[in-house]
Amino acid sequence: MILPWHKNAFTKLKQMIDQNHLPHALLITGMPQIGKFELMQQLVQTLLCQDQSCGQCALCRAIAKDNPKEALDISVLIRRSHYPNMVYCRTEINDRGIESKNIRIDQVRSFCEALNKTADDLQIGVLFYADQMNVSAANSLLKTLEEPRDNTLIILLAHNPKNLPATILSRCQSVHIAPAYDQQTQSWLEHHISEIQNADFDVPQLLENTHGVPFKVLSELSGDGFIHYQNWQNKLLDIAIHPAMINQVQDFEGNEVEVLNCLQNLVIEGIRLKSLGYEGGLVELNQVIKIVKTDFLFRLLDDIYHAISLSKTNVNIKLLLDNVLIVWSHISHLQRYPQITRT
Ligand SMILES: [Zn+2]
């Protein structure tokens, strides 16, 4: 199954396969969690399966079983796929689940050796994330890329090609997975959200919040983070409706930046609803913004941005949040917008 936001990238790969122009080295790029590993799996299945990725045969199932988080085979520092002619190279994860920062040269050497064995069948090597290779590892890989063997395909996955040496980039054909906001991606997301959360969500807004990365929306909605977020959002709306509730937000303490982010999303959503004259989304939010001057929402948004950016300095973030919350709690009956985060 091709993910809807992978369509353009996959079409490019499919053309390479169909025209027999698949290079020796491919680079798949895109933001974290955009699904580079999944696109690679789709590509390999299409390339090797007799029915071009039927999803049912032993080969398709073996490749689908591979999981990017599986531990390395410590003795060889790489990992073999469930499909025997494929190897993976990635950073090590220790017993405590901590991931090393770099892919090292001995790993890349082992990876290239595994690919260099003589065989009739195509040998595939997948290295992720290529932007985590240290300099010597990258140089070692370059040697293999410069003298490609006929029967090998090296697939590099990388978040940011800018972190790769130009010498490696020039040896690879790249395919980029772009962020997605389109209708098909939204429908896919709606369906998958309904499997984990029983609530109404503004899917386009969720995609905006994650900069167009659908898997990121799902992981954010499935963790503890989401429950906290819901709690903060409810409290923030309560405050705007009943200002006295401002004294009951002790659990904001220690989470000031997250609360500011949550309020920022509420205000952005408020501005959007107001400008579209659209009454959808959260009932309480509609109730609040109906009587607020749009100009005040923009000024509050500006103050929230400013507070968030100051949070990286040694400013008293609790005080800043308190000031923002006082304005937010009175937002619907403010006569004049006060000065809060700037001096
Ligand atoms: Zn198949």
Side-chain angles (χ1 to χ4, degrees), residues 194-206:
S194 69
E195 288 176 345
I196 50 170
Q197 291 288 343
N198 186 18
D200 258 347
F201 290 99
D202 183 344
V203 171
Q205 183 65 47
L206 291 175

Side-chain angles (χ1 to χ4, degrees), residues 9 28 58 60-61 81 100-101 103 115 121 125 149 151 153 202 204-205 212 219 230 240 242 281 293 300 324:
I28 298 178
C60 282
R61 278 186 288 139
S81 156
S100 62
K101 282 205 181 82
I103 296 174
L115 286 172
D121 293 319
R149 291 164 57 96
N151 232 358
L153 170 63
D202 183 344
Q205 183 65 47
S219 67
Q230 282 289 75
H242 312 288
K293 290 186 185 140
L300 179 62
V324 168

Side-chain angles (χ1 to χ4, degrees), residues 22-210:
L22 203 64
H24 288 292
L26 256 179
L27 170 66
I28 298 178
T29 60
M31 300 218 293
Q33 291 188 294
I34 197 87
K36 297 179 283 294
F37 193 87
E38 287 78 1
L39 181 65
M40 175 280 298
Q41 284 174 308
Q42 184 70 43
L43 163 72
V44 175
Q45 288 172 338
T46 308
L47 192 62
L48 300 175
C49 164
Q50 295 206 323
D51 288 323
Q52 295 215 331
S53 179
C54 68
Q56 308 295 323
C57 69
L59 187 144
C60 282
R61 278 186 288 139
I63 291 163
K65 227 166 143 188
D66 289 340
N67 172 343
K69 299 229 155 43
E70 267 176 302
L72 301 174
D73 180 346
I74 293 305
S75 62
V76 284
L77 305 165
I78 54 173
R79 189 162 57 77
R80 201 155 276 281
S81 156
H82 291 93
Y83 168 66
N85 293 330
M86 185 148 119
V87 286
Y88 292 113
C89 183
R90 53 152 298 156
T91 50
E92 285 177 279
I93 298 173
N94 71 13
D95 305 342
R96 283 168 295 147
I98 297 167
E99 189 179 340
S100 62
K101 282 205 181 82
N102 297 123
I103 296 174
R104 303 185 321 260
I105 184 166
D106 45 349
Q107 294 184 274
V108 171
R109 277 197 191 125
S110 178
F111 174 73
C112 294
E113 261 167 42
L115 286 172
N116 272 340
K117 71 170 194 189
T118 321
D120 290 337
D121 293 319
L122 179 69
Q123 303 294 307
I124 300 173
V126 180
L127 190 145
F128 57 99
Y129 292 97
D131 33 10
Q132 289 175 326
M133 278 189 292
N134 65 26
V135 178
S136 50
N139 284 334
S140 172
L141 179 70
L142 189 60
K143 285 199 198 99
T144 301
L145 293 179
E146 279 169 340
E147 295 158 19
R149 291 164 57 96
D150 261 351
N151 232 358
T152 52
L153 170 63
I154 295 180
I155 306 174
L156 307 180
L157 312 183
H159 302 316
N160 194 349
K162 283 193 190 126
N163 297 336
L164 288 175
T167 43
I168 292 219
L169 282 176
S170 69
R171 303 269 161 196
C172 301
Q173 205 142 322
S174 3
V175 173
H176 180 69
I177 309 173
Y181 304 90
D182 60 285
Q183 191 57 51
Q184 278 180 313
T185 301
Q186 288 177 23
S187 308
W188 181 94
L189 202 47
E190 265 161 35
H191 173 75
H192 283 79
I193 289 174
S194 69
E195 288 176 345
I196 50 170
Q197 291 288 343
N198 186 18
D200 258 347
F201 290 99
D202 183 344
V203 171
Q205 183 65 47
L206 291 175
L207 272 176
E208 283 290 334
N209 295 349
T210 58

Side-chain angles (χ1 to χ4, degrees), residues 255-289:
N255 300 305
E256 286 82 3
V257 178
E258 289 82 355
V259 173
L260 282 166
N261 274 309
C262 182
L263 183 58
Q264 175 183 312
N265 289 339
L266 274 177
V267 175
I268 292 173
E269 176 64 3
I271 293 169
R272 194 179 73 93
L273 288 171
K274 217 172 163 62
S275 65
L276 293 175
Y278 166 67
E279 290 193 19
L282 298 159
V283 179
E284 296 88 346
L285 183 61
N286 273 305
Q287 191 185 330
V288 173
I289 58 157

